[in-house]
Amino acid sequence: EIGNLATPRNPSTNDENLKTILKIDASTVSSPTYVSKDANQSNRDLRNVKIALYDSSVLYIFVYSGAFFGYAPMKLLLGKHGTFSSLCAKAVSGSNETDIPENDNDRFDQDGFTCNVQTSRLLTLLFLAQFTQFFSPLLSAFSDRYTPASLMALTAYCALAGLTLLLVFVTTGIDKLLYIAFPLNGIVAMSGGIMYVNTGMMFEEGAPRNRVLSSLSSLFDARGITYLGLWAIEKGSDITFQQLLCIYIALEVGIYGIALYF
């Protein structure tokens, strides 16, 4: 087709080919500025999409992906709100009572809220979340087969489901829901590691791509302070853990919604 366009022997054929390629009206074919303006607008739109996707990636990677790697503050929050407290014969949820324990499993930890066997169950939640790292190859294959946008949708659903189950636990006290909630958060972390690479590859090769990948990688490593922030807010304000989770979920919907849109 390019060869036909370059051949001046049949002008009408050239016009038809040009209309097909550019998909514009024949009256605009002779305009030398039309294609240039359209290309410039397309480049601006693409640049805006990249910026929006990068901004949303910064937020979901830092605030949600892999937050459980900074699990210690979340352990304090869960212990304070009575997670697995039924395992402690002498434990009283949300109090500092330290009755003489009947056995070592009933003995309180230094935080004053959890006993030994309770702490063991809380650490099991972290183990289950970390175990999802073995599913990372499957998530990569899913992204390759069904596109990164499909993986982003899966990540958003897992993040919403995990946080919702955590909120339901805080509301109802059904702590067994956490055995599902934290593995879902683990999937979100593994997916986030794949998605930030896909985001970086959208930028031009060279310095722009390197800057994007470096910044997102740094945020991915710093993700562990998220739960520390939640713990500090809950401890230093009148906001309850339940209210804090509602705000956290609302932000999750907004951030992942922007990422899915672009």
Side-chain angles (χ1 to χ4, degrees):
E1 291 183 358
I2 297 301
N4 291 334
L5 290 176
T7 303
R9 290 176 296 179
N10 194 342
S12 62
T13 303
N14 292 344
D15 288 346
E16 291 299 325
N17 288 335
L18 191 57
K19 284 195 299 180
T20 301
I21 295 173
L22 299 178
K23 296 181 181 179
I24 60 177
D25 188 80
S27 62
T28 63
V29 172
S30 60
S31 173
T33 60
Y34 183 87
V35 177
S36 177
K37 289 181 178 179
D38 186 67
N40 289 337
Q41 181 63 39
S42 178
N43 289 335
R44 284 195 296 269
D45 291 343
L46 181 59
R47 182 174 181 273
N48 292 335
V49 167
K50 290 179 179 179
I51 293 174
L53 187 58
Y54 173 76
D55 291 342
S56 61
S57 298
V58 167
L59 292 174
Y60 77 71
I61 286 174
F62 183 69
V63 181
Y64 294 100
S65 292
F68 69 86
F69 284 110
Y71 183 70
M74 178 57 71
K75 173 183 171 293
L76 294 177
L77 285 171
L78 294 174
K80 181 179 178 181
H81 288 82
T83 310
F84 304 119
S85 60
S86 60
L87 300 174
C88 304
K90 295 296 181 178
V92 178
S93 176
S95 74
N96 286 316
E97 294 187 15
T98 53
D99 296 339
I100 298 175
E102 295 178 354
N103 54 62
D104 287 340
N105 285 338
D106 297 330
R107 191 176 301 278
F108 280 92
D109 288 345
Q110 293 181 353
D111 58 27
F113 297 114
T114 57
C115 64
N116 290 346
V117 65
Q118 184 183 7
T119 298
S120 177
R121 293 296 177 89
L122 291 172
L123 294 177
T124 299
L125 297 178
L126 176 61
F127 169 76
L128 291 175
Q130 292 177 329
F131 185 77
T132 59
Q133 294 180 74
F134 292 102
F135 295 98
S136 182
L138 297 178
L139 294 172
S140 297
F142 181 89
S143 176
D144 292 340
R145 181 168 183 176
Y146 298 105
T147 73
S150 299
L151 180 60
M152 176 58 71
L154 176 65
T155 303
Y157 294 146
C158 289
L160 181 59
L163 291 176
T164 300
L165 289 174
L166 183 56
L167 178 61
V168 172
F169 152 69
V170 173
T171 304
T172 63
I174 305 176
D175 45 29
K176 290 183 180 180
L177 294 175
L178 299 178
Y179 289 123
I180 304 175
F182 278 89
L184 288 174
N185 290 336
I187 292 175
V188 172
M190 299 305 106
S191 299
I194 298 170
M195 289 307 304
Y196 89 74
V197 175
N198 288 327
T199 299
M201 296 303 292
M202 290 186 62
F203 289 80
E204 294 79 6
E205 187 175 358
R209 181 182 297 177
N210 293 338
R211 285 194 293 266
V212 169
L213 288 174
S214 297
S215 60
L216 294 180
S217 178
S218 299
L219 289 172
F220 194 71
D221 292 336
R223 58 197 168 167
I225 69 172
T226 301
Y227 286 161
L228 179 61
L230 296 179
W231 173 81
I233 293 173
E234 198 267 351
K235 185 178 178 64
S237 66
D238 295 330
I239 299 177
T240 65
F241 191 29
Q242 186 177 17
Q243 294 171 336
L244 192 60
L245 285 175
C246 289
I247 297 172
Y248 197 45
I249 291 174
L251 288 174
E252 185 267 340
V253 172
I255 292 171
Y256 278 104
I258 294 173
L260 286 172
Y261 179 80
F262 289 102

